[in-house]
Amino acid sequence: MRLIDQDGEQAGVVSIANAMKMARDVDLDLVEIAPSAKPVVCKILDYGKYKYRASKKRHEARVKQKQVELKEIKFHLVISEADYNVKLRNAIRFLESGNRVKVSWWFRGREVSKIDIAMRSLDRFVLDVEEYGDVEQKPNLEGKRLHMLLIPKKNRSVKNAKDEDK
């Protein structure tokens, strides 16, 4: 087997018995690193410390990961311009922070027959957020609710992540 000693230096190709003796002499463990290599690669190290460092590394990677949330914005068929602008600003803020946005139009009573008005409003909304996000799921009518899904643009969210680091 090919052996790497406790200092990270290559000890060359040695027998298993000799490698075990070297590991016992320095009071460390002999760990198989690459079992599929020819010859097999083993390393002398403290296995407990190795496992601890590996779990710490996995934990740090998990902590640095950004969880993408799904935010929802609800509209009704009759909405004032000011309310529309507030919801538009919120959607833009959500998309800039890297979250997905579910945009829903809720219909009350006979408003369901006025889907064409909601579709025009939906198209206007898509044009207004076009710079910040893309449509992931086209408008879909389920019962008395029309909804679609927006995702942030790739280059925008990367730019914002760089701005936050500064």
Side-chain angles (χ1 to χ4, degrees):
M1 79 170 72
R2 184 171 303 281
L3 184 66
I4 301 171
D5 66 9
Q6 64 274 13
D7 300 324
E9 308 270 331
Q10 287 226 10
V13 178
V14 297
S15 68
I16 295 173
N18 195 12
M20 292 289 284
K21 182 183 178 308
M22 289 173 68
R24 259 187 257 117
D25 288 346
V26 290
D27 200 29
L28 293 174
D29 303 309
L30 182 66
V31 180
E32 190 175 47
I33 302 295
S36 60
K38 297 280 186 209
V40 176
V41 179
C42 293
K43 187 172 185 178
I44 297 174
L45 52 84
D46 184 358
Y47 188 68
K49 191 183 286 187
Y50 172 76
K51 292 280 285 182
Y52 176 75
R53 285 183 180 158
S55 70
K56 281 296 205 184
K57 206 178 276 188
R58 279 194 309 271
H59 177 72
E60 280 183 33
R62 210 175 318 124
V63 166
K64 290 180 182 178
Q65 240 177 11
K66 165 122 176 51
Q67 291 291 333
V68 176
E69 295 180 34
L70 177 65
K71 304 286 189 169
E72 184 171 15
I73 296 180
K74 296 179 183 178
F75 288 90
H76 285 282
L77 195 59
V78 180
I79 185 169
S80 70
E81 190 64 28
D83 289 342
Y84 174 84
N85 289 332
V86 168
K87 291 177 188 271
L88 177 65
R89 276 196 313 269
N90 286 337
I92 289 170
R93 183 169 44 96
F94 294 150
L95 289 169
E96 283 181 334
S97 64
N99 295 316
R100 296 168 47 191
V101 178
K102 182 178 186 177
V103 184
S104 302
W105 263 260
W106 293 77
F107 301 106
R108 288 179 237 150
R110 292 187 215 152
E111 289 179 349
V112 175
S113 63
K114 310 257 193 235
I115 292 176
D116 56 326
I117 296 172
M119 288 301 283
R120 280 195 302 256
S121 182
L122 194 70
D123 291 338
R124 175 184 170 206
F125 190 81
V126 169
L127 286 175
D128 289 343
V129 298
E130 185 177 45
E131 184 179 330
Y132 305 96
D134 295 321
V135 176
E136 182 181 38
Q137 183 181 6
K138 299 270 187 212
N140 184 15
L141 182 66
E142 289 180 359
K144 292 190 171 194
R145 190 179 75 166
L146 179 70
H147 63 89
M148 73 173 177
L149 209 54
L150 300 172
I151 56 172
K153 289 221 177 192
K154 297 259 188 240
N155 55 0
R156 298 278 306 179
S157 58
V158 169
K159 178 184 170 194
N160 287 337
K162 288 180 183 175
D163 291 344
E164 289 173 2
D165 290 342
K166 291 181 181 177

